[in-house]
């Protein structure tokens, strides 16, 4: 506990005291990033394909709907045979490419590594094993031809590579905040400008920074006050290190107004409550309602544009 406080405070002092301009700590999403189009088209087919699940009803898109900012807005998603996908709330696939690791506890090193999990996860797509994934894909002549052309072989490495390539297209440039950062003074409201200042001055930026305003580090949830739900212990479940208890990847705040409910357990339904909780648990302070409203206005300006390309 003490160590965590020290860590958080030192993060805050580093940010406020050193010469880096805090305005530079949140950088815009690029208009596009390089990707291989043929692979991405194949990856999209796989992402949308419910035949790759045990009951033929669940695809990646079921829980990470690309028409809905990469989420399903449920506390817990529904996998095969109606089972609830506990204990984690589905994070968005949008801009996930910019996160330093994948999953709330960071157990996948990149998107391809992540994409290996869902097919055989009993709460998600529930196939028996990876041989079954490959068999279903082999039996589909369209897939067969595409894999042959692009990769020469159907295997898990190539399947997850194609999905990861598609996920590179799930980025949302051009949010009002990004336009403001690029110099358009009128892109966001006065409330959002005050909120951005409050976000920096109160130290939110110490953890939520970079292209995604998150996704660059692990931090403990519940630094000043224990987080009420200790059912899942975050990084600790992977490392078994005492200091990793309740440590999670700091999530992205891109499109955060569209991806309720919040936190790894989906326990908080509104942004307003989320900001209050963050100030209390992470910074040990109460924010007045005006400041909360301003920060919410700022967070709302982080909604970008998804351009579905094929
Ligand atoms: C039944 C719902 C469900 C299905 C189906 C599903 N996911 Fe997920 N996804 C989740 C949940 C829940 C998590 C968080 C799990 C965790 O952190 O341990 C997650 C995490 C992720 C993440 C990590 C994002 C981040 O920022 O950490 C990515 C990327 C992702 N899924 C992509 C996919 C892909 C690709 C597929 C299809 C191959 C897929 N998901 C299928 C529910 C689902
Ligand atoms: C010490 C690091 C730290 C600080 C400071 C911090 N956060 Fe967080 N934030 C986190 C972590 C870690 C999570 C994920 C917690 C979880 O899901 O259990 C999180 C989650 C969130 C979420 C929910 C995201 C989602 O997708 O569910 C929002 C919104 C948020 N923070 C906003 C803020 C705001 C606003 C501030 C300042 C008042 C702030 N944070 C300060 C580390 C921090």
């Amino acid at each position: 506990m003490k160590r965590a406080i020290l860590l958080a405070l030192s993060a805050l002092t580093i940010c406020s005291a050193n010469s880096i301009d805090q305005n530079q700590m949140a950088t815009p999403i690029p208009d596009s990033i390089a990707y291989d189009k043929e692979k991405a088209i194949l990856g999209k087919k796989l992402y949308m394909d419910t035949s790759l699940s045990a009951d033929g009803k669940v695809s990646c898109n079921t829980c990470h709907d690309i028409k809905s900012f990469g989420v399903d807005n449920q506390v817990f998603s529904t996998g095969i045979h109606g089972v609830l996908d506990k204990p984690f709330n589905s994070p968005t696939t949008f801009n996930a490419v910019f996160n330093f690791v994948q999953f709330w506890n960071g157990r996948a090193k990149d998107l391809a590594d992540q994409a290996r999990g869902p097919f055989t996860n009993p709460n998600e797509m529930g196939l028996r094993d990876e041989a079954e994934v490959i068999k279903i894909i082999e039996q589909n002549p369209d897939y067969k031809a595409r894999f042959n052309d692009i990769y020469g072989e159907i295997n898990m490495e190539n399947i997850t590579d194609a999905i990861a390539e598609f996920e590179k297209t799930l980025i949302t440039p051009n949010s009002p905040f990004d336009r403001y950062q690029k110099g358009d003074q009128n892109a966001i409201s006065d409330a959002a400008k005050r909120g951005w200042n409050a976000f920096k001055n109160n130290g939110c930026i110490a953890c939520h920074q970079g292209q995604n305003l998150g996704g660059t580090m692990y931090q403990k949830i519940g630094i000043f006050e224990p987080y009420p739900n200790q059912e899942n212990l975050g990084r600790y479940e992977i490392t078994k290190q005492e200091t990793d208890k309740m440590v999670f990847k700091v999530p992205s705040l891109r499109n955060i107004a569209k991806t309720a409910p919040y936190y790894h357990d989906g326990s908080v339904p509104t942004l307003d409550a989320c900001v209050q909780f963050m100030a209390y648990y992470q910074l040990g302070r109460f924010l007045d309602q005006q400041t909360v409203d301003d920060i919410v206005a700022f967070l709302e300006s982080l909604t970008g544009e998804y351009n579905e390309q094929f």
Side-chain angles (χ1 to χ4, degrees), residues 47 58-60 62-64 77-79 85 88-93 96 99 101-105 107 111 114-115 118-119 123-125 163 167 249:
Y47 188 98
V58 178
S59 71
C60 310
T62 305
C63 306
H64 307 286
S77 300
T78 303
D85 190 11
F88 291 114
N89 175 258
S90 294
T92 178
T93 45
N99 291 337
V101 289
Q102 303 298 323
F103 288 128
W104 285 102
N105 59 21
R107 69 188 180 281
L111 288 172
Q114 188 288 324
F119 296 116
N123 291 345
E124 294 180 348
M125 298 159 86
I163 292 173
E167 290 178 308
K249 180 179 71 185

Side-chain angles (χ1 to χ4, degrees), residues 8 12 89 104 198-199 202-208 217-221 223 227 246-253 256 259 261-265 271 274-275 278-279 282-283 287 295 299:
L12 295 182
N89 175 258
W104 285 102
F199 189 85
N202 283 291
C204 312
I205 191 106
C207 298
H208 296 277
M217 67 179 88
Y218 297 115
Q219 286 286 344
K220 180 174 172 165
I221 172 81
I223 293 176
Y227 188 69
M246 296 312 288
V247 169
F248 292 90
K249 180 179 71 185
V250 175
S252 165
L253 299 181
I256 194 72
T259 61
Y262 303 108
Y263 295 145
H264 70 274
D265 55 5
L271 262 187
C274 204
V275 172
M278 270 288 129
Q282 302 305 79
L283 298 160
L287 299 178
I295 293 178
L299 294 174

Side-chain angles (χ1 to χ4, degrees), residues 1 221-230 281:
M1 172 82 170
I221 172 81
I223 293 176
F224 286 86
E225 197 61 49
Y227 188 69
N229 178 2
Q230 303 264 333
Y281 288 115

Side-chain angles (χ1 to χ4, degrees), residues 29-249:
I29 299 285
D31 290 336
S32 63
I33 57 174
Y35 68 91
D36 180 311
K37 192 161 181 193
E38 293 312 308
K39 289 182 180 175
I41 289 172
L42 171 57
K44 184 177 189 181
K45 287 181 190 293
L46 295 163
Y47 188 98
M48 296 292 175
D49 191 349
T50 56
S51 78
L52 296 170
S53 67
D55 67 358
K57 289 185 180 153
V58 178
S59 71
C60 310
N61 197 59
T62 305
C63 306
H64 307 286
D65 189 343
I66 63 167
K67 300 272 190 244
S68 183
F69 287 91
V71 294
D72 57 6
N73 295 116
Q74 303 299 308
V75 174
F76 299 116
S77 300
T78 303
I80 50 156
H81 306 305
V83 69
L84 277 189
D85 190 11
K86 288 183 172 186
F88 291 114
N89 175 258
S90 294
T92 178
T93 45
F94 279 22
N95 306 304
V97 63
F98 300 124
N99 291 337
F100 82 126
V101 289
Q102 303 298 323
F103 288 128
W104 285 102
N105 59 21
R107 69 188 180 281
K109 70 175 192 310
D110 56 27
L111 288 172
D113 189 18
Q114 188 288 324
R116 223 169 160 134
F119 296 116
T120 54
N121 183 325
N123 291 345
E124 294 180 348
M125 298 159 86
L127 294 179
R128 213 169 30 245
D129 51 27
E130 293 187 339
E132 196 181 3
V133 182
I134 292 167
K135 197 169 133 209
I136 297 172
I137 293 175
E138 269 172 350
Q139 284 166 350
N140 177 321
D142 178 50
Y143 279 141
K144 219 174 165 179
R146 285 174 194 271
F147 272 99
N148 210 22
D149 284 353
I150 301 171
Y151 294 105
E153 201 187 334
I154 301 176
N155 58 33
M156 285 316 288
E157 202 186 325
N158 296 338
I159 292 166
T160 55
D161 180 72
I163 292 173
E165 213 55 30
F166 167 60
E167 290 178 308
K168 290 183 189 168
T169 70
L170 300 178
I171 65 174
T172 60
N174 219 25
S175 67
F177 178 70
D178 282 4
R179 284 187 269 123
Y180 175 69
Q181 285 285 75
K182 289 177 178 171
D184 178 356
Q185 290 300 317
N186 299 320
I188 63 174
S189 65
D190 288 343
K193 287 176 193 167
R194 288 193 303 269
W196 170 223
N197 281 330
F199 189 85
K200 289 177 288 186
N201 296 339
N202 283 291
C204 312
I205 191 106
C207 298
H208 296 277
Q209 52 179 264
Q211 258 171 326
N212 270 350
L213 292 104
T216 66
M217 67 179 88
Y218 297 115
Q219 286 286 344
K220 180 174 172 165
I221 172 81
I223 293 176
F224 286 86
E225 197 61 49
Y227 188 69
N229 178 2
Q230 303 264 333
E231 218 166 286
N232 189 280
L233 296 174
R235 289 283 301 152
Y236 176 82
E237 315 269 353
I238 313 290
T239 66
K240 301 294 172 200
Q241 299 263 327
E242 210 45 38
T243 49
D244 278 340
K245 280 195 173 154
M246 296 312 288
V247 169
F248 292 90
K249 180 179 71 185

